[in-house]
Amino acid sequence: MLTNPTLDQMQALGLAGMAAAWRQLAEQTNAQELSRDEWLGLMLDREIAMRADKRVRNRLASAKLRFPEASIEDIDFAAPRGLDRRNTMALAQGVTGQTGTGKSWLACAFGRQAARLDHSVLYVRVPRLFEDLALARLDGRFPRLIDKLTRVQLLILDDFGTHSLTDQQRFHLFEIVEERYRRKSTLITAQVPVARWHDLIADPTVADAILDRIVHNAHRITLHGDSMREQKAPPLLTGDENGEINHP
């Protein structure tokens, strides 16, 4: 059976999963009853599992999700906000709704699920993205940043539509959408309905070009209802409790 020098070689080669499985099998009293093929199969299974887990962790780290703990399994479908379980599980490409209805959290849950499926993910808030792109044009990073935004398999654009776009911002948005069109997936959250996006983009010609590449091939989720932040907030203090705090 495998010897300690072989274990040392596995560790030297970065086969941490196989090494861990070897140690576990060596401690089992009935391990000698297993054949060489069974030992090898169990060790390979552990190596594959550990590499897959590491790959997901790396995907999540590079995604920079606003809510890294968000998970598809934790989506609250009971809250009255128009969230259909069947459609949601199809992983929508567009999410709109009022402030606090859970758009960003839901988008991060989709991002986490994509990372689990071994897709590269990147989360960005649109206002911050436009600032970064403007600075990148000044310091020479623009081509690299655009390449990063267009290569990632799932790009999450959060908080779109907080203000009307400038000429430069329209150009930047079109550049991203054009490069990703029919090649990669884009998930967009916005506080305003899609019907108002044309006005936010402001230039009719550019707006038509952008929306044509976004809307017609998208799955859409519209959230409504009360703020999820209020539902999850701690209960307010009573008058007596306030008195205890203000008058120790």
Side-chain angles (χ1 to χ4, degrees):
M1 199 57 65
L2 294 175
T3 62
N4 284 333
T6 303
L7 177 60
D8 293 339
Q9 288 178 328
M10 286 190 291
Q11 293 173 328
L13 291 171
L15 301 174
M18 294 186 71
W22 185 91
R23 293 192 193 94
Q24 185 177 5
L25 287 168
E27 293 173 357
Q28 296 178 4
T29 56
N30 61 342
Q32 300 302 323
E33 299 175 5
L34 299 176
S35 68
R36 288 175 179 264
D37 287 344
E38 288 173 324
W39 270 66
L40 182 59
L42 291 170
M43 291 165 59
L44 287 173
D45 287 344
R46 177 68 67 84
E47 182 66 31
I48 292 171
M50 287 188 65
R51 290 194 179 200
D53 184 64
K54 181 179 180 180
R55 192 160 53 244
V56 170
R57 292 198 305 270
N58 290 340
R59 295 285 195 196
L60 290 173
S62 62
K64 300 180 180 179
L65 297 176
R66 180 178 177 182
F67 299 102
E69 77 284 358
S71 173
I72 290 291
E73 292 83 1
D74 294 332
I75 293 177
D76 183 2
F77 291 101
R81 49 180 174 156
L83 190 58
D84 180 78
R85 180 186 296 272
R86 183 175 181 179
N87 290 338
T88 301
M89 300 311 286
L91 296 181
Q93 286 182 276
V95 185
T96 63
Q98 301 173 7
T99 299
T101 50
K103 301 181 301 299
S104 298
W105 191 95
L106 187 61
C108 289
F110 288 157
R112 184 183 182 90
Q113 180 67 10
R116 287 175 176 173
L117 298 174
D118 201 25
H119 300 305
S120 57
V121 182
L122 180 62
Y123 168 96
V124 291
R125 291 188 63 253
V126 172
R128 178 61 182 271
L129 171 64
F130 285 144
E131 293 177 4
D132 290 344
L133 286 168
L135 290 174
R137 291 189 71 87
L138 296 175
D139 61 21
R141 294 181 297 109
F142 186 77
R144 294 200 307 273
L145 182 52
I146 285 292
D147 183 62
K148 178 180 179 180
L149 293 168
T150 55
R151 280 191 297 107
V152 68
Q153 290 170 300
L154 173 61
L155 176 64
I156 301 174
L157 299 177
D158 194 14
D159 283 342
F160 173 74
T162 56
H163 60 277
S164 297
L165 304 188
T166 65
D167 288 342
Q168 186 180 68
Q169 290 169 345
R170 282 192 291 271
F171 168 77
H172 290 162
L173 181 60
F174 177 78
E175 186 81 5
I176 294 168
V177 171
E178 172 65 16
E179 290 297 321
R180 297 185 61 82
Y181 182 56
R182 292 188 180 277
R183 299 183 184 93
K184 305 291 174 61
S185 296
T186 305
L187 193 157
I188 303 173
T189 77
Q191 295 182 21
V192 296
V194 175
R196 290 179 52 194
W197 289 13
H198 202 280
D199 294 334
L200 289 169
I201 298 173
D203 183 293
T205 302
V206 179
D208 285 343
I210 291 174
L211 294 179
D212 182 63
R213 289 160 173 77
I214 294 177
V215 176
H216 300 307
N217 297 293
H219 301 283
R220 192 183 306 176
I221 294 178
T222 302
L223 301 179
H224 55 75
D226 298 330
S227 171
M228 297 295 289
R229 299 190 186 106
E230 295 177 1
Q231 296 180 30
K232 297 181 183 300
L236 297 176
L237 297 177
T238 65
D240 291 340
E241 290 170 331
N242 272 316
E244 293 175 2
I245 294 174
N246 296 324
H247 303 285

